[in-house]
Amino acid sequence: MARRFVRLLDAAPGGSWRDIGCGTGAVTRAVLDLAEPESVVGIDPSAGYVQYARRNITDARARFVLADAVNLPFADATASVAVSGLVLNFVPDAPRAAAEMTRAVRPGGLVGAYVWDFEEGGMEAIRAFWDAASALDPAARDLDEAVRFPLCGRAPLRELLVGAGLEDVEVEAIGVPTRFSGFDDYWEPFLGGQGPAPAYVASLPRERRVELRERLRSALPRAADGSIPLHARAWAARGRRTA
């Protein structure tokens, strides 16, 4: 997904990039591989992620710093491109983060971001889970990412970038197949305890967990080989700082 996003940006070679909420460095790695940058600086508020990225991306053009998306440690108009992958819906003040990304790029510079499509059901694996959970427990609806992350849609993402002062804003869909080898391959990640859906599963008594599991087992589509063919979609937006 990160590589498709970087290609979609179609940024000119060279220049200085900023990766906001870099996490493990997936977007930074894609920029290094595909965009021919002079430099990339990734920021993240998690010391663990920053340490991981430093260990695993040793390209001399890249560096990683501990910082927050709403208070970027960059001077005004010093970057060519600022990007953020699968992060802005987790930032408490997304408009401020978008404004900070815009501030950091030069006039005419590019700002881009992508988020999973929770609004229109583009995350089929998650949509199936919450549909099943809500049918058994109406209170589960409040935990659904479609409710918790209203930014994750085509129109809200576009409005965010326009509101940050960007022009020529475009939003496109990026889709990838997410085929699971079988039901266990689909279900086991929900047992990890981290994230809204796994945390919900962990909160259930054993009988309710079994009931949810079996409801999902019967609801998910199956291919002839027993695999579960699903699809994931993200919205990718880009715009330019007013020259």
Side-chain angles (χ1 to χ4, degrees):
M1 187 66 76
R3 297 176 72 86
R4 293 189 62 179
F5 168 67
V6 170
R7 290 192 181 100
L8 183 66
L9 290 175
D10 194 26
S16 178
W17 288 61
R18 306 287 184 261
D19 180 6
I20 310 307
C22 62
T24 60
V27 174
T28 292
R29 188 180 297 280
V31 171
L32 293 168
D33 289 347
L34 302 172
E36 302 179 43
E38 292 180 2
S39 63
V40 187
V41 183
I43 72 104
D44 201 279
S46 165
Y49 275 141
V50 168
Q51 292 168 5
Y52 182 94
R54 287 172 177 167
R55 286 196 307 268
N56 288 274
I57 299 180
T58 57
D59 191 306
R61 296 172 295 171
R63 65 184 179 93
F64 300 92
V65 298
L66 194 65
D68 193 278
V70 298
N71 292 290
L72 296 180
F74 308 124
D76 295 354
T78 52
S80 306
V81 186
V83 294
S84 182
L86 305 179
V87 168
L88 290 181
N89 53 295
F90 293 105
V91 178
D93 191 345
R96 180 172 173 180
E100 278 286 274
M101 293 171 68
T102 302
R103 176 189 64 77
V105 300
R106 304 181 184 100
L110 187 64
V111 174
Y114 67 101
V115 295
W116 291 124
D117 171 26
F118 293 119
E119 182 185 68
E120 298 181 26
M123 296 296 291
E124 292 181 345
I126 298 297
R127 183 72 270 132
F129 175 90
W130 288 118
D131 285 349
S134 298
L136 297 171
D137 175 16
R141 293 190 181 95
D142 293 338
L143 303 174
D144 189 336
E145 283 91 340
V147 175
R148 296 177 63 238
F149 299 139
L151 175 63
C152 293
R154 181 197 295 265
L157 186 59
R158 184 181 188 281
E159 290 168 7
L160 180 74
L161 267 59
V162 170
L166 299 170
E167 60 184 8
D168 302 326
V169 175
E170 299 178 354
V171 183
E172 297 185 35
I174 306 176
V176 293
T178 52
R179 179 179 291 271
F180 296 88
S181 61
F183 182 76
D184 288 345
D185 188 30
Y186 170 86
W187 175 247
E188 286 177 3
F190 291 110
L191 304 180
Q194 294 186 358
Y200 176 75
V201 171
S203 74
L204 296 175
R206 183 181 181 279
E207 296 78 8
R208 296 290 301 279
R209 192 180 307 172
V210 170
E211 189 178 8
L212 174 59
R213 182 189 68 197
E214 295 310 307
R215 189 179 186 94
L216 275 165
R217 189 192 300 273
S218 64
L220 290 166
R222 296 294 181 94
D225 61 359
S227 64
I228 300 174
L230 299 176
H231 190 265
R233 181 173 62 211
W235 295 117
R238 58 185 175 181
R240 293 195 178 276
R241 181 174 175 179
T242 304

